[in-house]
């Protein structure tokens, strides 16, 4: 961070950065892949340090959610809610996968402290967050934006969530998943 010459200048810079994070604004963010497109494949290390690829989940629904930072209040609430609802996702043949720019070790500590059993992936080079239009470039640091993508078993993005409230998000995604699955079932029953 540049050296601040006037009292209060550092606080003003911090306030702008926090405002951008909280409001989901970014500077220089790429566009998110469009609904209806094949989800861009990637391979990142999980909290166990093992590589995980998006294509590993073909045949399942995937909730791919990006979040700013381990151990922060909003991210912890969002992760707890996905963990709370995990059995409902599994019942619907869905997996939850979180992505942020923190390291595998940070994710391992976060999962241990918060009792999380789903995969958290380390995008330390920012490539996947950028590919999904989910990178916040805050000049002094880069974080993943709070975005989510619902990907069907064929690997197609069927829903995106770019305005996320962490306390309600898991229920919102679960409702969208249920609706999409019911619509697919109804369509397959038509003559």
């Amino acid at each position: 961070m540049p050296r601040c010459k006037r009292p209060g200048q550092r606080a003003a810079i911090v306030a702008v950065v926090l405002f951008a994070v909280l409001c989901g604004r970014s500077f220089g963010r790429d566009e998110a892949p469009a609904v209806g497109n094949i989800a861009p494949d990637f391979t990142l290390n999980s909290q166990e340090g093992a590589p995980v690829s998006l294509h590993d989940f073909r045949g399942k629904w995937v909730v791919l959610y990006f979040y700013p930072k381990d151990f922060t209040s909003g991210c912890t609430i969002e992760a707890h809610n996905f963990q709370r609802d995990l059995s409902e996702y599994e019942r619907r043949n869905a997996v939850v996968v979180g992505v942020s720019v923190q390291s595998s070790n940070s994710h391992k500590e976060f999962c241990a402290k918060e009792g999380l059993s789903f995969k958290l992936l380390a995008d330390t080079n920012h490539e996947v967050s950028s590919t999904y239009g989910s990178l916040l470039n805050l000049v002094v640091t880069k974080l993943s934006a709070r975005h989510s993508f619902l990907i069907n078993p064929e690997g197609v993005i069927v829903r995106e969530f770019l305005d996320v409230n962490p306390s309600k998000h898991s229920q919102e995604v679960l409702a969208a998943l249920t609706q999409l699955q019911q619509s697919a079932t109804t369509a397959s029953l038509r003559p």
Side-chain angles (χ1 to χ4, degrees), residues 1-190:
M1 183 175 257
R3 188 172 176 102
C4 300
K5 297 179 182 183
R6 293 188 313 256
Q9 187 177 12
R10 177 179 226 130
I13 291 170
V14 170
V16 168
V17 169
L18 286 175
F19 177 78
V21 170
L22 294 174
C23 294
R25 303 275 189 251
S26 69
F27 308 102
R29 182 173 64 207
D30 294 328
E31 289 295 313
V35 169
N37 288 345
I38 296 290
D41 197 17
F42 60 82
T43 301
L44 295 171
N45 285 338
S46 71
Q47 69 266 31
E48 293 97 10
V52 174
S53 298
L54 183 61
H55 67 259
D56 295 342
F57 301 110
R58 277 288 163 92
K60 292 185 174 284
W61 291 83
V62 177
V63 177
L64 179 62
Y65 88 97
F66 293 84
Y67 66 98
K69 195 169 182 183
D70 296 335
F71 301 106
T72 58
S73 62
C75 298
T76 301
I77 289 167
E78 186 174 28
H80 278 182
N81 290 344
F82 277 123
Q83 184 65 44
R84 176 198 67 207
D85 299 334
L86 195 57
S87 64
E88 287 299 313
Y89 285 106
E90 290 169 348
R91 198 167 68 76
R92 290 169 175 79
N93 191 35
V95 296
V96 175
V97 179
V99 177
S100 79
V101 301
Q102 278 74 53
S103 68
S104 293
N105 191 48
S106 177
H107 291 342
K108 182 178 181 178
E109 292 171 10
F110 186 49
C111 288
K113 181 175 188 270
E114 302 301 335
L116 307 176
S117 62
F118 54 87
K119 299 288 184 204
L120 294 183
L121 307 181
D123 185 19
T124 55
N125 64 10
H126 313 124
E127 286 181 19
V128 176
S129 296
S130 183
T131 297
Y132 278 83
S134 300
L135 185 66
L136 293 169
N137 184 352
L138 302 174
V139 183
V140 296
T141 191
K142 292 181 181 180
L143 299 172
S144 296
R146 196 179 306 282
H147 294 165
S148 295
F149 300 86
L150 188 52
I151 302 167
N152 73 13
E154 292 76 39
V156 175
I157 297 171
V158 293
R159 186 81 188 269
E160 61 182 14
F161 303 86
L162 304 179
D163 185 21
V164 172
N165 176 334
S167 62
K168 299 177 183 177
H169 189 51
S170 181
Q171 286 296 301
E172 176 184 32
V173 174
L174 201 51
L177 174 61
T178 301
Q179 178 190 16
L180 286 162
Q181 289 179 334
Q182 288 172 348
S183 295
T185 300
T186 302
S188 69
L189 295 176
R190 290 190 191 133

